């Protein structure tokens, strides 16, 4: 079958066909240079050469530091002294190596490198360190020898997730206690919740080691090190293994868009050189994030990052990645201040083609290692082809984040009372996606929950959440917020472009914001946790929201409704009624805050439809104005007639 190029499917891209073909050929040339005629995954093995490794009778450590004049291994084993016995030797091409007998290093030993260069020298953490720990008193980070008994995997990886239902989570803030939670605690207490809710993909943030906990894991210092603040590698493997046993795929937020500028923990001035892994001069420093920017055109950097993808997949059996900050990678100005209203911006000299090439190579590697892997691009620019197959002229991501949807929900809630919401506009913004690319939709992710912003439920209910979320209270603001929270999530999930995402706790309307411990809040954990007891308390209304989310997610998965595109049946802006079909299901939503409609007619295919559930069901905190199981039959005029209560969504299945 002939491959359809992205500019053949989209006439708006036709003027840029030459640029798209040139980009495709550039990527192929980069692949040939890095891999020859072989697979990308076979060429990306830096993690097997560099770093600390046990050999048959001892240890070997290797590091790339071309500007270094001397390199020493220092640690517990030699009282942190530079001694000849622990001096690495140059072996060519900027590489340094030290072999040691087995008695010199032991599991748990702390170590660093001391690197000297013309005019200076300093302690450094190895670039390929796989275990980094922080001293609780001095706050200093050190690499650690990690050589336990190998973990024995018990469960197979899940099958392909063509339509991922993603539960985005952060391990550290997953406990109700005011502390940093760990992998084992999450496995025991939170993973069963995710399973009950019906999500089939767990997306975990902040896994790569980062010096500042409050960065949400996005200021990474050690690319290959699992953050030790959450536990051991074996505990994380047990979490992944347990998720797989429940049929849940596990992907991670991987940060290849930038790196922390810290010299003691990261790679900045690693061997005294400013541009070892990063761009030279100002281009190597991110103006908004105060961090370092990788040189994606340098082969050593590409091997480093590609090997990083391979390491996480092989070592921890991960099922894919959500690539953070892709917009920042794609453009020399990081997309700052741009509105991307012109297609030419995606193909002009403002694009860092080195980064485009790296992302395409990374997708090749990931899917070579696991054809069922999931890759998601977090891109705000809307670059065409990002989530299109490489053969078609794309970059090869499986999905892109539909980031504008959450922004529109915030805009609608902030700027208009819901009696002024336009259902035609809602439909357009929820479904206006590239037909040749799959997207992950969400009403809100972790971004909307951060301090300084508000979650959807907090925007809708605000201070009344503190006083009136018990079932005994009668409060119009709470009634409105609870009703719209369910409707917003259902319409977002049911119109998604292939995948849906929810952030941990938002399924039950977690109150307030997320604020990590920092100097400005007295290093408090009060807002860096999840209050699961709110959803479990039968006297509060959070449980109804949680049960609705579970019903919605289970139904979407069970009926496989995402395998067909949504089809608009009716968008009555005067009544504020939106009705659409997806596969065997009709979704009817009445956003009108005051008017209920009896015998509301909509043209539908001939047949009998059963009410599966509605957002107004009493078990979901509604008023119980509809009856599950009710049957509706299309009449001779080709219409289905429904009762649509105000602020209510109804799900009907054709039987």
């Amino acid at each position: 079958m002939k491959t359809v190029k992205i500019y053949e499917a989209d006439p708006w891209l036709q003027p840029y066909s030459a640029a798209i073909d040139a980009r495709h050929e550039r990527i192929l040339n980069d692949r040939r240079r890095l891999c020859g005629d072989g697979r990308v995954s076979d060429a990306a093995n830096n993690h097997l050469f560099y770093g600390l490794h046990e050999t048959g009778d001892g240890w070997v450590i290797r590091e790339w530091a071309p500007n270094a004049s001397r390199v020493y291994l220092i640690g517990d084993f030699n009282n942190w002294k530079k001694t000849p016995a622990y001096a690495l030797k140059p072996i060519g091409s900027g590489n340094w190596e030290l072999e040691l007998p087995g008695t010199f290093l032991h599991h748990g030993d702390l170590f660093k490198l001391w690197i000297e260069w013309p005019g200076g020298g300093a302690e450094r953490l190895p670039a390929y360190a796989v275990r980094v720990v922080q001293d609780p008193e001095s706050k200093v980070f050190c690499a650690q020898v990690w050589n336990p008994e190998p973990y024995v995997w018990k469960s197979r990886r899940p099958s392909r997730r063509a339509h991922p239902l993603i539960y985005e989570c952060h391990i550290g803030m997953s406990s109700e206690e005011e502390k940093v939670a760990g992998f084992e605690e999450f496995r025991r207490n939170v993973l069963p919740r995710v399973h009950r809710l019906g999500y089939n993909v767990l997306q975990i943030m902040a896994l790569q080691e980062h010096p500042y906990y409050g960065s949400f894991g996005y200021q990474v210092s050690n690319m290959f090190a699992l953050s030790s603040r959450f536990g051991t590698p074996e505990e994380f493997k047990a979490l992944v293994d347990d998720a797989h046993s429940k049929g849940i795929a596990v992907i991670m937020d991987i940060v290849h868009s930038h790196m922390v500028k810290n010299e003691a923990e990261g790679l900045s001035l690693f061997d005294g050189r400013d541009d070892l892994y990063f761009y030279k001069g100002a281009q190597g420093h991110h103006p908004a994030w105060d961090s370092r920017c990788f040189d994606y055109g340098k082969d050593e950097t590409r091997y480093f990052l590609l090997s990083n993808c391979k390491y996480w997949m092989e070592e921890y059996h991960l099922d894919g990645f959500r690539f953070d900050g892709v917009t920042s990678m794609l453009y020399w100005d990081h997309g700052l201040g741009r509105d991307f209203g012109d297609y030419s911006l995606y193909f002009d000299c403002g694009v860092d083609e080195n980064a485009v090439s790296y992302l395409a190579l990374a997708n090749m590697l990931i899917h070579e290692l696991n054809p069922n892997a999931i890759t998601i691009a977090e891109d705000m620019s809307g670059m065409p082809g990002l989530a299109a197959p490489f053969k078609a002229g794309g970059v090869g991501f499986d999905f892109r984040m539909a980031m504008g949807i959450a922004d529109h929900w915030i805009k609608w809630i902030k700027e208009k009372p819901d009696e002024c919401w336009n259902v035609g506009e809602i439909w357009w913004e929820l479904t206006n996606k590239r037909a040749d690319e799959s997207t992950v939709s969400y009403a809100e992710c972790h971004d909307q929950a951060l301090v300084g912003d508000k979650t959807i439920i907090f925007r809708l209910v605000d201070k009344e959440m503190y006083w009136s979320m018990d079932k005994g209270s009668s409060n119009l603001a709470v009634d409105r917020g609870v009703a719209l929270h369910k409707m917003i999530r259902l319409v977002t999930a049911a119109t998604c472009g292939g995948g849906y995402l929810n952030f941990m706790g938002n399924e039950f309307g977690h109150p307030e914001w997320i604020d990590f411990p920092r100097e400005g809040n007295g290093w408090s954990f009060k807002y860096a946790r999840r209050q699961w007891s709110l959803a479990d308390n039968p006297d509060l209304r959070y449980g109804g929201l949680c049960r609705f989310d579970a019903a919605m997610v289970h139904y979407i998965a069970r009926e496989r409704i995402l395998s067909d595109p949504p089809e608009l049946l009716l968008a009555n802006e005067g009544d504020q009624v939106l009705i659409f079909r997806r596969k065997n299901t009709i979704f009817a939503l009445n956003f009108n805050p005051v008017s209920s409609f009896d015998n509301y007619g909509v043209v539908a295919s001939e047949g009998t439809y059963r009410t599966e559930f509605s957002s107004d069901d009493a078990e979901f905190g509604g008023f119980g104005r509809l009856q599950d199981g009710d049957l509706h039959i299309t009449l001779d005029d080709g219409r289905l007639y429904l009762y649509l209560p105000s602020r209510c969504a109804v799900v009907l299945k054709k039987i």
Side-chain angles (χ1 to χ4, degrees):
M1 182 181 293
K2 179 182 179 293
T3 300
V4 178
K5 296 288 188 178
I6 58 174
Y7 51 75
E8 294 173 332
D10 181 358
W12 288 95
L13 289 176
Q14 193 62 50
Y16 309 101
S17 59
I20 292 169
D21 287 340
R23 176 175 291 172
H24 185 84
E25 190 59 36
R26 188 182 301 111
I27 295 167
L28 288 175
N29 289 336
D30 286 342
R31 175 178 174 146
R32 282 189 287 269
R33 190 177 72 255
L34 293 175
C35 319
D37 295 327
R39 305 193 327 159
V40 180
S41 56
D42 292 335
N45 291 306
N46 278 27
H47 58 295
L48 302 178
F49 179 78
Y50 295 108
L52 179 67
H53 300 279
E54 190 179 27
T55 61
D57 56 357
W59 301 84
V60 63
I61 185 169
R62 301 185 188 95
E63 193 61 69
W64 182 58
N67 194 49
S69 51
R70 291 187 184 87
V71 181
Y72 296 93
L73 181 68
I74 59 175
D76 292 335
F77 37 81
N78 62 7
N79 293 317
W80 301 90
K81 302 294 185 183
K82 296 176 288 181
T83 61
Y86 289 90
L88 280 69
K89 296 177 174 57
I91 57 174
S93 302
N95 295 314
W96 297 77
E97 180 183 85
L98 172 64
E99 295 186 68
L100 292 168
T103 57
F104 277 49
L105 296 177
H106 305 89
H107 175 67
D109 284 348
L110 302 179
F111 68 97
K112 291 186 180 183
L113 296 175
W114 176 273
I115 300 180
E116 296 180 0
W117 56 83
E123 292 180 353
R124 295 288 186 257
L125 296 181
Y128 291 82
V130 298
R131 174 75 172 169
V132 173
V133 297
Q134 185 180 29
D135 183 272
E137 295 183 3
S138 68
K139 305 301 181 184
V140 171
F141 284 86
C142 293
Q144 187 175 40
V145 178
W146 199 254
N147 191 38
E149 288 294 318
Y151 181 84
V152 179
W153 293 91
K154 305 173 186 65
S155 304
R156 299 176 60 184
R157 297 173 191 250
S159 58
R160 175 171 162 74
R161 294 288 181 263
H163 303 292
L165 300 167
I166 303 171
Y167 197 82
E168 182 188 37
C169 64
H170 183 283
I171 299 295
M173 58 173 288
S174 64
S175 170
E176 183 144 356
E177 298 178 54
E178 297 183 22
K179 65 175 187 178
V180 178
F183 296 123
E184 183 61 18
E185 188 175 1
F186 185 97
R187 186 187 70 81
R188 293 194 313 266
N189 300 334
V190 183
L191 186 60
R193 291 179 180 270
V194 180
H195 187 227
R196 290 195 298 270
L197 285 166
Y199 290 90
N200 59 21
V201 176
L202 190 67
Q203 179 182 310
I204 309 180
M205 308 169 63
L207 288 176
Q208 294 167 291
E209 190 59 87
H210 45 290
Y212 180 45
Y213 184 53
S215 75
F216 229 141
Y218 292 122
Q219 290 274 344
V220 172
S221 54
N222 311 100
M223 288 286 175
F224 291 82
L226 181 74
S227 182
S228 61
R229 57 171 58 87
F230 306 134
T232 68
E234 288 65 45
E235 289 172 331
F236 180 55
K237 290 175 183 178
L239 167 57
V240 175
D241 211 1
D242 199 354
H244 286 171
S245 75
K246 293 175 169 58
I248 300 173
V250 182
I251 65 175
M252 69 177 278
D253 264 12
I254 196 165
V255 183
H256 284 181
S257 48
H258 65 134
M259 195 178 195
V260 71
K261 72 175 184 179
N262 303 32
E263 296 170 17
E265 294 89 15
L267 296 177
S268 192
L269 295 178
F270 183 73
D271 63 353
R273 223 174 113 177
D274 187 57
D275 62 342
L276 185 64
Y277 289 95
F278 310 109
Y279 280 121
K280 292 182 179 180
Q283 199 63 55
H285 298 263
H286 200 292
W289 296 345
D290 195 26
S291 55
R292 301 305 313 272
C293 300
F294 287 109
D295 183 347
Y296 303 105
K298 182 180 285 189
D299 286 351
E300 292 86 353
T301 301
R302 283 178 169 173
Y303 280 125
F304 175 74
L305 295 174
L306 290 170
S307 298
N308 190 239
C309 295
K310 184 174 181 178
Y311 170 79
W312 285 101
M313 291 186 74
E314 292 191 335
E315 182 67 19
Y316 295 108
H317 287 206
L318 294 180
D319 303 293
F321 304 96
R322 179 254 202 196
F323 279 74
D324 179 69
V326 168
T327 307
S328 179
M329 300 172 69
L330 291 175
Y331 305 96
W332 291 110
D333 64 1
H334 311 294
L336 299 173
R338 291 207 206 187
D339 60 8
F340 293 99
D342 188 332
Y343 266 39
S344 65
L345 297 175
Y346 302 123
F347 306 104
D348 64 14
C349 59
V351 176
D352 182 355
E353 294 293 347
N354 296 327
V356 177
S357 182
Y358 164 68
L359 290 170
L361 293 170
N363 274 282
M364 292 177 195
L365 176 144
I366 292 163
H367 291 106
E368 286 171 3
L369 292 173
N370 181 4
N372 294 327
I374 302 167
T375 58
I376 305 170
E378 189 217 23
D379 170 47
M380 300 176 66
S381 75
M383 176 181 279
L386 197 60
F390 177 68
K391 288 182 179 180
V395 178
F397 281 97
D398 297 303
F399 299 89
R400 66 191 313 151
M401 301 293 288
M403 302 183 71
I405 290 176
D407 292 339
H408 276 95
W409 281 121
I410 292 173
K411 177 183 176 182
W412 291 323
I413 294 171
K414 282 177 63 176
E415 297 180 2
K416 299 178 181 179
D418 52 301
E419 56 263 31
C420 297
W421 288 4
N422 185 307
V423 293
E425 181 186 8
I426 290 173
W427 171 260
W428 168 256
E429 295 298 348
L430 294 182
T431 59
N432 180 27
K433 309 177 181 77
R434 297 189 60 82
D436 58 347
E437 299 186 40
S438 296
T439 57
V440 173
S441 298
Y442 56 97
E444 54 186 344
C445 69
H446 70 273
D447 286 331
Q448 286 73 42
L450 291 172
V451 65
D453 207 337
K454 289 183 179 180
T455 60
I456 284 176
I457 193 70
F458 210 56
R459 286 188 183 280
L460 292 169
V461 182
D462 207 72
K463 65 181 184 299
E464 298 301 326
M465 290 194 76
Y466 296 118
W467 319 111
S468 304
M469 284 296 285
D470 62 289
K471 292 180 179 178
S473 296
S474 178
N475 187 290
L476 293 178
V478 172
D479 289 344
R480 170 182 181 264
V482 167
L484 290 177
H485 189 271
K486 290 177 285 187
M487 296 181 71
I488 287 169
R489 303 183 107 65
L490 178 65
V491 73
T492 302
T495 57
C496 73
Y500 173 72
L501 177 143
N502 166 65
F503 179 67
M504 175 177 70
N506 285 356
E507 70 275 5
F508 66 82
H510 198 284
E512 302 175 322
W513 49 83
I514 299 167
D515 189 15
F516 281 89
R518 55 188 173 86
E519 188 175 5
N521 65 16
W523 303 103
S524 170
F525 285 88
K526 182 178 180 180
Y527 299 107
R529 61 193 179 108
R530 297 285 89 176
Q531 299 179 63
W532 306 108
S533 61
L534 295 177
D536 299 339
N537 190 329
D539 297 325
L540 300 179
R541 301 186 68 170
Y542 298 99
L545 297 177
C546 192
R547 287 187 291 275
F548 177 80
D549 197 83
M552 174 185 81
V553 171
H554 277 287
Y555 184 84
I556 289 171
R558 183 176 65 251
E559 298 300 324
R560 300 181 179 180
I561 67 161
L562 302 186
S563 59
D564 284 1
E567 174 192 352
L568 180 64
L569 300 180
L570 181 147
N572 188 315
E573 295 169 5
D575 293 340
Q576 292 186 285
V577 171
L578 175 65
I579 304 177
F580 60 94
R581 182 185 69 85
R582 195 156 193 179
K583 202 174 181 181
N584 63 341
T585 299
I586 287 178
F587 297 89
L589 299 99
N590 179 12
F591 282 95
N592 198 301
V594 293
S595 298
S596 298
F597 302 103
D598 199 9
N599 291 321
Y600 204 90
V602 59
V603 175
S605 60
E606 183 179 353
T608 300
Y609 295 81
R610 181 178 61 219
T611 300
E612 294 294 301
F613 64 96
S614 81
S615 63
D616 199 53
D617 288 356
E619 66 172 313
F620 306 142
F623 295 104
R625 292 170 289 179
L626 292 167
Q627 184 66 46
D628 292 354
D630 278 356
L631 299 180
H632 307 267
I633 302 172
T634 47
L635 301 185
D636 292 341
D637 62 359
R639 293 178 180 272
L640 196 66
Y641 289 88
L642 306 171
Y643 171 48
L644 300 179
S646 59
R647 286 198 185 122
C648 176
V650 189
V651 178
L652 304 110
K653 177 183 174 182
K654 188 175 183 181
I655 59 175

